[in-house]
Amino acid sequence: MSVSNFPRIRSLKRCSALVILSHLLSQPVAAQANGQAPELADLVAKGELPPVSERVSLEPEVINYGDIGRYGGVIRFGMGGSSDEGTLRQAVGTNGLVRWHHNLSELTPNVARKVEVSDDAREFVFHLRKGMKWSDGDSFDTEDIAFSIEDILLNPDFGELSTRFQSRGEPMQFEVIDQHTFRIFFEHPNGEFLGQMAREEGAALNFYAAHYCKPFHPDYNPDIEDLVKQEGAPDWRTLLITKCGEVRDALRWINPERPVLDPWVLDEPLSGGATRVTFRRNPYFWQVDEQGNQLPYIGTLQARVFQDAEAMTLAAIAGQFDFQYRRIDAPGNRPVLAQNREKGGYELYEVTAAGGNYGWIQPNLNHKDPVINRLFNERDFRVALSIGTDRQEIIDTALLGEGTPWQTGPFEDSPLHHRKVATQYLEYDLEEANRLLDGLGLTERNEEGVRLLSDGRPARFLMDVRNSFPHIIDMMQVLGPQWRKLGIQIDVNVVDRSLHRLRSREGDHDMTTDSGNATWMPGQLPSALLPIDSSSRHAPLWTVWYETGGKDGVEPPDHVKERYRIWESIFATADPAERIRRYHALADVAAEQFEAFGISKNASTYGVRKEGLMNVMEGMKSTGQFPSPANVFMPQAWYWRK
């Protein structure tokens, strides 16, 4: 089970660099687990369920979150079609070893009770909660961690290992210390690791229940081929994933028998023709409130499956949702949601962003056309496009006035905020923009007023936009006439998500725009600062060069290589203050290069919250980096007022 050559940790002193300790375990807490939902108490009385103190673990996490609630009730919400499994993750969560605090600047233990990190950010020791159980009552311990890591994540039969579990291309190593303690080690420093583990994908370390999933794995079942035939699966891998799911895949929601660590257990699954998906409370959930009452308070979740976005909005204004913002929070829906508050018995609920922008515009600096490539790599060209953009007009027209001119990055309240990256070249200056373009030799125009490139072709470019972002499409429709005043023509090219990714990954796009809600908080790749992953659409071939160690792609200029060196130095330390300093050094270089640009701050969006739903924190933040509200804003602590 362990790696035989795994080095011992030289020092696990409680270093100032970074040690995450559970501040909730200052005293034995087994006695605190004493309250439970009435229906579970009935099962205990009948002898069909162990006492609550035995179910929630010997070391439950105590959640101090709002008022002490009351048990019972249902939360209703909607899904935008059967493929919208992300809504289920937002409601139920992924429950990894660590999670983000709701301030989004601190990590806190979650499934793990405590984490210790070595000074060099190479070694991580996780302490699990003793006595913790899966939703079927079976013990959760390091046997499950070992199965998840060694038999799934590190198993080449399941494909390449995600870079989230690597450092400089080297995979993590793993060792079991005892039943409740394990160690992960990297050959190279990995100061980003815990932040990555707080993301949804990080939950893969503790996602698979060994006792349930081993029968679907050939290393544990000599009759696996017979079982595969019996189940009608094409192979054992497909069978295992169908039965045991994946963290970010709809297959997670099709098997009600799969044991989980979530607050709620799947009841009605997400089958092909499902019109709703439901969940019931997990009787073995491992969190309690301050008085020892087992969470969740709410007993049932009900997700209604919609095939039409307009139908979801109509359901919202009719009061058929108890909490909803996903799929109904487009700016254009805000007036009708506001007008029907009293009729629907709900309040408008504001959801704020963690940072970033609406409409992150990325010219392709690796364009395959040499004439366009040379132009796009001229900094003055990119500056001209930025100051030739009337952001306030776009905000007023396409975003109904909700927004603030902004480039990108964390907002002002974040220690990672970088003023120059966020605010340079925002002022609309048509005269200066035209002067810069003239200075690049783009002085000739055709009869339509479009500037001519050096080879005589018009400066006309495709702007790729995903069809799932109607507000960005609207923004580009306003931007087009503005850039025509510069002599630059864009044609909005609306594509689906897969084609959008394919074109940008292969470097086949001219320009692309996307939701730039990415910030560079720990655990999230700073793709706005350097070409580092598939979302760095301004330089996909530089990214490939870096990912392959120079074997493929296009070798980048020195200023990009300098940023790669800084990025690797960020990995090399777990000291929070030093990491912030190095992030700012990275941003300093990115600001000078100005490779892409934004339109507006990610503005608040609005959903609905039914009157009487309590403990729903105001100012909830939403980001694609973790399921929200689940895991961060604790729906398991919500309850219904009498």
Side-chain angles (χ1 to χ4, degrees):
M1 181 176 294
S2 63
V3 179
S4 59
N5 62 349
F6 195 95
R8 302 296 297 179
I9 289 185
R10 294 175 301 282
S11 171
L12 277 178
K13 62 184 179 181
R14 303 194 174 197
C15 57
S16 60
L18 173 61
V19 176
I20 298 182
L21 297 173
S22 175
H23 60 283
L24 307 174
L25 299 177
S26 57
Q27 57 180 345
V29 294
Q32 290 185 346
N34 51 37
Q36 60 191 315
E39 64 267 28
L40 299 184
D42 290 343
L43 293 176
V44 172
K46 295 176 182 178
E48 299 177 12
L49 199 65
V52 63
S53 60
E54 298 177 13
R55 301 198 310 268
V56 301
S57 89
L58 300 176
E59 300 168 323
E61 181 178 7
V62 181
I63 299 299
N64 179 10
Y65 193 94
D67 301 325
I68 300 298
R70 55 187 297 269
Y71 288 112
V74 178
I75 293 180
R76 303 166 300 163
F77 57 98
M79 297 173 57
S82 56
S83 63
D84 182 23
E85 64 89 26
T87 291
L88 300 179
R89 281 187 278 114
Q90 283 191 328
V92 177
T94 48
N95 290 295
L97 295 166
V98 295
R99 68 175 187 271
W100 287 106
H101 186 274
H102 57 75
N103 62 20
L104 302 188
S105 63
E106 300 174 41
L107 290 167
T108 184
N110 197 53
V111 167
R113 175 180 60 84
K114 182 173 69 173
V115 185
E116 294 174 289
V117 184
S118 64
D119 289 325
D120 60 4
R122 294 172 60 214
E123 303 163 33
F124 302 80
V125 174
F126 294 85
H127 301 260
L128 303 179
R129 302 178 186 279
K130 296 178 181 178
M132 189 169 166
K133 294 179 172 57
W134 292 94
S135 57
D136 62 357
D138 202 280
S139 296
F140 166 76
D141 54 35
T142 50
E143 180 182 1
D144 303 293
I145 304 294
F147 181 82
S148 296
I149 293 177
E150 296 182 332
D151 295 307
I152 304 295
L153 289 177
L154 297 180
N155 187 340
D157 289 331
F158 290 94
E160 294 184 5
L161 180 68
S162 168
T163 56
R164 305 189 191 287
F165 306 106
Q166 302 180 38
S167 181
R168 297 190 191 177
E170 296 291 333
M172 64 183 177
Q173 299 179 52
F174 168 74
E175 181 186 53
V176 168
I177 297 174
D178 58 38
Q179 186 179 3
H180 301 104
T181 315
F182 68 95
R183 177 186 292 122
I184 288 177
F185 170 81
F186 294 91
E187 290 294 334
H188 306 284
N190 194 347
E192 291 286 299
F193 181 63
L194 285 185
Q196 294 284 357
M197 293 308 95
R199 293 171 56 107
E200 293 177 312
E201 297 91 336
L205 291 176
N206 57 270
F207 186 75
Y208 298 95
H211 71 281
Y212 180 80
C213 296
K214 281 184 175 180
F216 309 115
H217 196 292
D219 288 356
Y220 304 96
N221 184 356
D223 301 319
I224 187 64
E225 293 301 328
D226 293 338
L227 182 59
V228 167
K229 292 178 183 179
Q230 178 183 328
E231 295 287 342
D235 53 61
W236 71 266
R237 291 169 295 277
T238 303
L239 176 61
L240 189 148
I241 295 302
T242 300
K243 293 293 187 179
C244 298
E246 288 185 310
V247 176
R248 287 175 58 94
D249 191 280
L251 291 174
R252 178 182 171 187
W253 312 107
I254 66 172
N255 180 15
E257 296 180 355
R258 183 179 70 86
V260 300
L261 300 174
D262 303 324
W264 296 275
V265 179
L266 183 65
D267 197 358
E268 295 180 72
L270 181 63
S271 59
T275 58
R276 76 172 190 172
V277 181
T278 65
F279 300 82
R280 66 183 186 279
R281 75 168 77 250
N282 176 1
Y284 292 91
F285 192 55
W286 42 275
Q287 290 177 343
V288 298
D289 65 23
E290 288 183 291
Q291 294 184 2
N293 300 303
Q294 184 189 29
L295 300 176
Y297 295 131
I298 300 291
T300 305
L301 304 182
Q302 291 181 356
R304 180 178 166 190
V305 181
F306 292 81
Q307 301 301 330
D308 179 77
E310 183 178 355
M312 283 191 71
T313 303
L314 292 174
I317 65 178
Q320 296 174 11
F321 296 147
D322 298 312
F323 185 85
Q324 184 84 34
Y325 66 87
R326 185 176 167 97
R327 306 293 186 183
I328 66 168
D329 64 345
N333 285 341
R334 196 170 309 150
V336 70
L337 291 175
Q339 292 165 6
N340 287 274
R341 284 176 289 186
E342 184 174 353
K343 175 184 175 182
Y346 60 79
E347 301 171 344
L348 277 190
Y349 184 82
E350 181 180 10
V351 180
T352 61
N357 59 69
Y358 273 155
W360 183 232
I361 298 173
Q362 302 180 83
N364 182 6
L365 304 185
N366 300 147
H367 205 288
K368 297 173 182 178
D369 184 306
V371 173
I372 297 176
N373 186 69
R374 282 194 298 271
L375 179 63
F376 283 6
N377 276 276
E378 291 283 356
R379 184 177 185 275
D380 281 354
F381 178 73
R382 302 189 297 272
V383 172
L385 295 184
S386 182
I387 65 176
T389 299
D390 187 344
R391 291 171 170 79
Q392 196 59 53
E393 181 186 29
I394 296 174
I395 291 168
D396 292 342
T397 304
L399 300 179
L400 304 181
E402 291 284 343
T404 302
W406 189 256
Q407 295 293 2
T408 192
F411 293 162
E412 293 89 341
D413 59 351
S414 168
L416 292 175
H417 170 67
H418 190 279
R419 186 182 62 82
K420 188 172 183 179
V421 165
T423 61
Q424 67 177 336
Y425 303 123
L426 291 177
E427 185 174 352
Y428 181 50
D429 190 338
L430 184 60
E431 181 179 352
E432 176 63 11
N434 275 304
R435 189 191 69 78
L436 289 173
L437 294 175
D438 289 342
L440 294 171
L442 303 177
T443 55
E444 299 294 327
R445 302 189 185 220
N446 64 15
E447 61 278 5
E448 296 176 346
V450 178
R451 293 177 186 266
L452 300 180
L453 302 176
S454 60
D455 61 359
R457 288 177 294 163
R460 182 174 185 175
F461 311 110
L462 281 179
M463 178 73 77
D464 287 1
V465 188
R466 280 169 50 181
N467 58 6
S468 56
F469 292 131
H471 60 283
I472 297 181
I473 297 173
D474 293 343
M475 293 165 68
M476 294 304 102
Q477 298 292 354
V478 181
L479 178 67
Q482 294 180 0
W483 282 9
R484 280 301 299 271
K485 295 177 183 178
L486 302 174
I488 305 296
Q489 180 171 338
I490 57 170
D491 299 312
V492 178
N493 183 34
V494 180
V495 295
D496 64 25
R497 182 176 185 177
S498 59
L499 183 57
H500 188 264
R501 286 184 171 180
L502 177 63
R503 281 173 54 80
S504 61
R505 184 172 64 246
E506 300 296 329
D508 291 332
H509 61 296
D510 294 338
M511 301 182 185
T512 184
T513 186
D514 204 343
S515 174
N517 64 350
T519 65
W520 43 86
M521 62 184 178
Q524 183 166 308
L525 296 174
S527 56
L529 297 181
L530 77 165
I532 193 66
D533 72 345
S534 61
S535 62
S536 305
R537 298 180 177 94
H538 63 286
L541 302 185
W542 291 345
T543 302
V544 172
W545 180 89
Y546 180 68
E547 290 178 335
T548 63
K551 295 179 181 178
D552 296 308
V554 173
E555 183 175 0
D558 288 342
H559 63 78
V560 176
K561 294 178 181 178
E562 179 185 0
R563 277 176 276 169
Y564 287 143
R565 288 192 290 270
I566 298 172
W567 171 241
E568 290 178 356
S569 79
I570 292 173
F571 268 81
T573 180
D575 184 336
E578 179 60 20
R579 289 167 60 79
I580 290 172
R581 190 192 69 77
R582 296 181 189 184
Y583 265 113
H584 278 273
L586 182 64
D588 287 341
V589 181
E592 286 302 314
Q593 297 306 318
F594 194 68
E595 292 162 340
F597 47 94
I599 302 295
S600 169
K601 269 187 177 181
N602 267 330
S604 295
T605 61
Y606 292 86
V608 298
R609 178 184 67 181
K610 200 74 169 179
E611 294 178 0
L613 185 60
M614 309 302 291
N615 277 355
V616 182
M617 180 179 292
E618 298 297 332
M620 182 183 298
K621 288 182 170 62
S622 175
T623 170
Q625 310 315 311
F626 48 75
S628 177
N631 288 86
V632 181
F633 298 96
M634 301 296 176
Q636 57 265 43
W638 298 358
Y639 70 95
W640 286 106
R641 184 179 59 212
K642 288 185 179 180

